[in-house]
Structure formats: structure tokens, C-alpha cells
Amino acid sequence: MNNQLDILALSGSLRAGSFNAKILSAARALVPVGAAIEIYDYRDVPLYDGDVEETAYPEAAARLKDRIRRADALLIATPEYNFSVPGVLKNALDWASRPYGDSALAGKPLAIIGGGGGQGTNRAQDHLRQIAHGLDMHLVRRPEIFVANVWTKFDAAGELADPAARQLVSELLDNLAGLALRLRAAADLKTAA
């Protein structure tokens, strides 16, 4: 059995120069010993359609769902679009939770970060927390990381250079790893009983 903690990361922004994707890249360097982060590209997942779900579950959605199921934990970096989460992120979560009764998200540990403008994605993160609650996910509550004016936090090489942001991301990852390990241990005890 592989004891390495497998953290799957999703960016709510698909654009090439996404600051939220850059935050996830920085997180890979800050991950605790014994854990690894994979940033998953889900741009090929189609729009959710219940008719399509029933007749021919899309391969891209099935791959995403399988990858989420195999992960020990999720890390989502979300921008804020129109005071909420981006549609592409919500769409990916919808596919991963379907069909009803076969969600890959239920019971999954989740940490949320985000970078944006003056308020640093706090409304989007609040909505994402509501979604996660509805999906029965285990949420890391602290620290809450709202990277305000995110474009000022990166150096010319595209690295997260803000020491306070780096410290908070590191702390969030430690808390996510701790939660995932506690849940893994509880599942192992239940299986052994």
C-alpha cells in the first residue's frame, strides 16, 4: 500500500495565465513531506446534461470522477466570477457528484484557496463552501486564504513571492494533510473492525 498522500488540485480558471493555477503550482512546492499534489486539467469535461448522463456518461467526466475518487484529498483554487464560483468549476463538481448516490466527492477532504481583486475571492469561496457542504465533503476551515490583488503577489518569474501568502498556503496544506490522514485512519479502523 502506498502511504503517500495524494492531493488532487483543481483551478477554477482554465486560462493559461491563471493566477489561481499559479497558486496551485506554488502549493506543490509547499506540500508537506509525505504528500504530493497533482493539478488536474478538466477543460475537456462537457457541460452537465442529465440526458447525456443517462445515455452516455462522457469519458472526460468519468476520468475526472475516477481521479477524484482515487485522491485522498482535494485542493481547489477559485477565482471569483460575478460574485460566485466559475461555471467550469461548478460543472466539474456537478459531474463528479452524479449520478445521484454515486458521488466521488462525498466524504472527501477539501481545502479552498483563491486569488483575485480587492476582496480576494471571499464571496466565491463562501459559495464553494456551501456547495461542498451540500456534497457532504469534509472542509478544512482554517486558514481562510483570500489572496487580494493577486497579481502583486507574484515575481517576474511567475512564482508566489509574497511571504505571508506562502505561509498561509503552507499552513492550509498541513491542515488538509492532517485531516486526510485522520479520515484515512478512521476508515482503516472501520475496515479492520
Side-chain angles (χ1 to χ4, degrees):
M1 179 175 145
N2 182 2
N3 287 327
Q4 174 138 330
L5 205 59
D6 177 24
I7 300 172
L8 186 67
L10 303 175
S11 173
S13 173
L14 300 180
R15 71 181 184 86
S18 164
F19 287 109
N20 284 279
K22 289 180 182 180
I23 291 171
L24 293 177
S25 291
R28 281 194 295 207
L30 299 169
V31 71
V33 172
I37 294 176
E38 175 192 342
I39 301 171
Y40 191 88
D41 182 352
Y42 60 95
R43 72 182 63 243
D44 58 345
V45 173
L47 292 175
Y48 176 76
D49 180 329
D51 291 335
V52 172
E53 175 196 333
E54 287 183 13
T55 58
Y57 201 95
E59 185 179 325
R63 275 193 314 270
L64 170 66
K65 185 175 180 178
D66 177 64
R67 184 62 188 93
I68 289 172
R69 198 178 302 280
R70 289 184 288 115
D72 293 305
L74 291 180
L75 173 65
I76 296 178
T78 185
E80 185 170 302
Y81 293 174
N82 299 316
F83 287 17
S84 192
V85 297
V88 295
L89 177 59
K90 177 65 166 65
N91 183 65
L93 297 174
D94 288 344
W95 274 115
S97 71
R98 304 294 306 167
Y100 180 79
D102 187 32
S103 175
L105 300 167
K108 192 71 64 177
L110 169 66
I112 301 170
I113 55 180
Q119 294 193 14
T121 77
N122 66 333
R123 291 173 291 228
Q125 288 189 45
D126 186 46
H127 289 176
L128 185 52
R129 284 180 178 83
Q130 291 175 30
I131 293 165
H133 177 75
L135 294 171
D136 197 27
M137 299 180 79
H138 295 282
L139 200 57
V140 174
R141 292 180 177 21
R142 297 284 185 269
E144 292 184 326
I145 305 175
F146 311 113
V147 184
N149 304 315
V150 67
W151 55 89
T152 66
K153 309 301 185 198
F154 290 86
D155 62 22
E159 300 294 323
L160 183 61
D162 183 81
R166 290 179 65 83
Q167 176 59 40
L168 286 170
V169 170
S170 180
E171 185 178 332
L172 182 72
L173 292 171
D174 286 345
N175 292 346
L176 177 60
L179 175 59
L181 289 171
R182 287 191 302 278
L183 291 170
R184 180 193 279 178
D188 288 348
L189 281 174
K190 187 176 182 181
T191 303

